[in-house]
Amino acid sequence: MVAAGFFQGSGTMPVNGLGPYDDSNIFARILRGEIPAKKVHEDQYSLAFHDIAPQAPVHVLVIPKGKYVSIADFSATATPDEITGFWRAVGQVAKALGLEPDGYRVLMNMGMHSGQEVPHFHVHICGGRPLGRMIPQG
Ligand code: 5GP
C-alpha cells in the first residue's frame, strides 16, 4: 500500500494526454475484448472495471466507450450524450460499490505532470478507507 492519498502509477512512462488517440492502448484492448478485465458496469457510453493494481480497498476505473485520450480531449470533443452518460455511470458505479455512506474519491490524470499512463480517458474511483490528503506534500 502506498502513502495515504497518493495514487502511484505502475511504472509506465507518462503520456502527454493530447493525442493522437492510439488504438493499441490497453483500455482500447479491454473495450474490444482482447484482454480480460473484472467488469463491474457496462452501458452504451461507459465501461467500469477493477484496477489491476488497486491503491485502495476499492479502486475501480470508469472509461468512456468513445476514443478520447484524456479529460482534456473528452471535455472538449465528446457529445453531450456521451458526457452525460459517462458521468451518470461514474456516480452509479460508486453507489453500487457501496461507497456513498463513507465517501470516496474520484481522480483523473491528464498528461505528464499527473503521471497519466494510459492514453484513454479514465476516472479512478477509490474508497473503502480514509484516503488522506489529496496531493502528497513536498
Ligand atoms: P493513470 O495513471 O493513467 O491515471 O491510470 C492508469 C491505471 O490503469 C493504473 O491505476 C493502472 O494500475 C491501471 N491499469 C494499467 N493496465 C491495466 C490493465 O491491463 N487492466 C486493468 N484493469 N488496469 C490497468
Side-chain angles (χ1 to χ4, degrees):
M1 190 67 67
V2 297
F6 182 46
F7 301 105
Q8 286 187 329
S10 60
T12 311
M13 289 295 288
V15 298
N16 73 18
L18 294 175
Y21 186 83
D22 175 4
D23 263 316
S24 69
N25 80 76
I26 200 84
F27 293 169
R29 297 184 63 202
I30 287 174
L31 279 170
R32 291 195 296 267
E34 294 170 4
I35 58 171
K38 286 173 60 182
K39 296 179 185 179
V40 297
H41 173 89
E42 183 165 12
D43 61 39
Q44 180 182 356
Y45 299 109
S46 67
L47 178 68
F49 50 90
H50 289 277
D51 196 290
I52 203 168
Q55 305 286 319
V58 178
H59 186 171
V60 163
L61 303 170
V62 189
I63 68 175
K65 288 195 167 174
K67 298 179 179 184
Y68 301 102
V69 177
S70 67
I71 182 65
D73 187 15
F74 185 75
S75 62
T77 65
T79 67
D81 282 352
E82 286 177 307
I83 292 170
T84 302
F86 177 78
W87 286 108
R88 288 229 191 281
V90 172
Q92 287 169 358
V93 167
K95 184 173 185 173
L97 290 167
L99 297 176
E100 284 194 344
D102 291 328
Y104 57 91
R105 180 169 294 153
V106 170
L107 183 150
M108 289 157 279
N109 290 316
M110 187 284 169
M112 305 291 282
H113 276 189
S114 74
Q116 180 182 359
E117 294 174 351
V118 179
H120 182 113
F121 174 48
H122 52 283
V123 160
H124 300 252
I125 300 175
C126 295
R129 65 165 168 80
L131 296 170
R133 300 180 71 100
M134 188 167 64
I135 306 282
Q137 304 301 294

